[in-house]
Amino acid sequence: MKVEELLLRAEKKLSGLHPVVADKARKLIRAAHSEGIYIIITQGLRTIEEQNRLYAQGRTKPGRIVTNARGGYSYHNFGLAFDFCVCNVVNGKLVTSWNLDRRWFRVGQLGKSLGLEWGGDWKSFKDYPHFQYTFGLSLAQLRAGKKPPNAVTVKK
Ligand SMILES: [Zn+2]
């Protein structure tokens, strides 16, 4: 599995993210790949409406609860978070592996070394697929319209 293929796959999900965060996601894909760990990006920007739909799941809609955040209460809603999944390669194809093995924890470490906050470290609601980069901004500040600084130069 070539790293270019993983990066190409990620682009669509990364397109709505803040450039600094998207860049960290690409670096994470590369770092994991260099250790033989293949990850895909499963979520990037999530609109407020999408977040509200997700919040309803397991509450007012069927399914299991997957988030504790309403619309505007997740860094995904501001393009500052992304989710990943570890993959196995089966017959040359990527197959998601949600089984929480050592690779997940290694990716968590790699992400943190890039300055990302990992949901696997959270105390109350462990969100192993989740990374965010807040620029020191709280969700209340973001909801109030405060913007993170723009990237000056972003290397692809
Ligand atoms: Zn997430």
Side-chain angles (χ1 to χ4, degrees):
M1 183 58 58
K2 287 202 166 117
V3 70
E4 288 76 20
E5 192 173 333
L6 295 170
L7 289 166
L8 197 67
R9 263 183 89 117
E11 278 315 302
K12 208 172 147 203
K13 296 288 183 188
L14 297 181
S15 65
L17 292 183
H18 188 285
V20 168
V21 184
D23 189 46
K24 286 181 188 294
R26 291 187 196 99
K27 288 196 170 96
L28 180 64
I29 291 167
R30 286 185 183 281
H33 180 272
S34 74
E35 298 188 10
I37 303 171
Y38 308 131
I39 58 171
I40 58 163
I41 306 300
T42 56
Q43 282 268 297
L45 175 72
R46 216 183 268 148
T47 65
I48 304 275
E49 295 71 37
E50 284 167 340
Q51 186 71 40
N52 280 328
R53 269 203 296 278
L54 206 63
Y55 184 78
Q57 188 182 318
R59 292 186 174 89
T60 54
K61 296 272 163 59
R64 65 183 180 91
I65 288 180
V66 289
T67 182
N68 279 339
R70 297 164 187 272
Y73 287 76
S74 162
Y75 283 97
H76 282 287
N77 305 146
F78 303 96
L80 301 180
F82 62 88
D83 299 332
F84 73 97
C85 184
V86 168
C87 288
N88 295 322
V89 179
V90 181
N91 297 329
K93 286 197 165 165
L94 288 167
V95 179
T96 53
S97 172
W98 293 102
N99 175 36
L100 200 66
D101 59 24
R102 58 159 288 278
R103 293 176 295 178
W104 285 81
F105 292 89
R106 182 61 189 148
V107 174
Q109 277 180 342
L110 291 169
K112 286 192 277 181
S113 73
L114 291 166
L116 292 161
E117 186 184 333
W118 183 39
D121 284 336
W122 293 347
K123 297 282 176 285
S124 55
F125 187 82
K126 297 241 182 240
D127 193 355
Y128 293 101
H130 181 95
F131 280 109
Q132 62 189 33
Y133 189 74
T134 68
F135 293 92
L137 294 172
S138 69
L139 286 163
Q141 287 175 313
L142 291 164
R143 281 196 302 275
K146 202 152 195 257
K147 296 267 186 284
N150 283 321
V152 184
T153 50
V154 175
K155 210 170 105 250
K156 283 237 171 178

